Amino acid sequence: MTGSTVRPPAYQLLADELRADITSGRLQPGERLPPEPELCVKTGVSRSTVREALRLLASQHLIVTTRGVTGGSFVAHPDAEQLAESLTTGFTLLTKSDGVGFADLLELRRAIEVPAVGLAAYRRGDENLAEIRGAFFDPAVDEFETMMAAHVAFHMAVAKATQNPLFELVARPLYHAEFGEEVTGDLPPGYWRQIDADHRLLLDCLIMRDAESATRAATQHLDYIAAVVR
């Protein structure tokens, strides 16, 4: 019939309701959800519907389910890496569209990366410095794929050093979506040597807790990428 709408399946409606309870804070991380029989009575749906709803929430990393006498479904503690998976999917779809190009990605990198290194300079711990240093590569001997992976690991480690998990959440899909054919196709000689030098300079700034120099180095790093990657 014209103008009619299709009602979502019952498990989707239940999942939406429980998701709203989680995202609103009515259900806190670590809190146990009502048992399956109680959810059946409360919502008037079958056991199989409840289980399908819980499986959906688990696939979205919103709950974890354990077995045994003390088992059940519990609200998951937020994890930036897991939550970023769904963001990465949407981000990748956008970057494959005609309306979004590398220039747009680089613009977003400027908005996120430059202030992030400033915060990291103030807040980083020794463990952050070790993780950043561990993401270096050797442009003289390493393979292309190794350097690409190290580049992502470096910037993710800097985002983590801000001590603000939201930077990790936003940065992960950004750095993973960036590397398409437009970026990896025809890089000029010396590109990876310059990237390596930029990364080492950024680490020196973080070691010295020099936020001003760190943000300046990050800006120059992005200026270089913008100039040579078309």
Side-chain angles (χ1 to χ4, degrees):
M1 183 174 62
T2 303
S4 65
T5 58
V6 178
R7 180 178 173 82
Y11 78 87
Q12 179 71 67
L13 294 173
L14 177 56
D16 290 345
E17 181 181 337
L18 292 172
R19 186 186 300 105
D21 287 340
I22 294 170
T23 56
S24 68
R26 288 190 292 271
L27 288 172
Q28 292 290 311
E31 188 173 346
R32 183 174 181 169
L33 273 63
E36 290 180 7
E38 184 177 330
L39 285 173
C40 291
V41 173
K42 179 181 177 181
T43 60
V45 299
S46 67
R47 191 79 170 259
S48 62
T49 297
V50 168
R51 288 178 175 174
E52 189 64 28
L54 295 178
R55 278 195 290 268
L56 177 58
L57 293 175
S59 71
Q60 298 169 342
H61 308 297
L62 293 173
I63 66 170
V64 293
T65 300
T66 59
R67 304 298 179 187
V69 178
T70 60
S73 295
F74 300 84
V75 179
H77 290 273
D79 180 272
E81 182 172 354
Q82 290 182 334
L83 292 174
E85 289 180 9
S86 58
L87 278 179
T88 300
T89 300
F91 209 96
T92 301
L93 288 173
L94 276 176
T95 58
K96 300 302 181 184
S97 68
D98 292 335
V100 178
F102 178 68
D104 299 299
L105 287 169
L106 196 60
E107 185 174 70
L108 184 56
R109 276 191 64 176
R110 289 184 188 277
I112 295 173
E113 193 171 311
V114 175
V117 297
L119 285 175
Y122 286 122
R123 298 175 178 175
R124 92 316 182 262
D126 290 341
E127 70 282 359
N128 298 125
L129 297 178
E131 186 174 1
I132 293 169
R133 189 178 289 108
F136 285 158
F137 56 85
D138 186 343
V141 298
D142 284 336
E143 298 291 334
F144 176 80
E145 290 77 10
T146 300
M147 294 187 291
M148 292 286 285
H151 181 276
V152 173
F154 175 88
H155 287 290
M156 288 306 306
V158 172
K160 185 176 180 180
T162 67
Q163 311 301 331
N164 182 341
L166 293 179
F167 274 99
E168 291 184 76
L169 179 63
V170 175
R172 185 169 297 277
L174 172 63
Y175 293 122
H176 280 80
E178 176 188 328
F179 303 121
E181 292 181 3
E182 184 178 6
V183 182
T184 62
D186 187 21
L187 296 173
Y191 176 82
W192 287 109
R193 287 194 299 274
Q194 184 60 51
I195 296 299
D196 174 61
D198 290 350
H199 286 184
R200 292 177 186 277
L201 175 58
L202 278 167
L203 177 61
D204 288 343
C205 295
L206 298 185
I207 291 173
M208 299 299 294
R209 297 191 185 275
D210 188 342
E212 182 177 352
S213 294
T215 55
R216 184 165 57 248
T219 299
Q220 292 171 349
H221 175 63
L222 294 169
D223 286 345
Y224 171 73
I225 295 174
V228 302
V229 180
R230 301 296 182 185

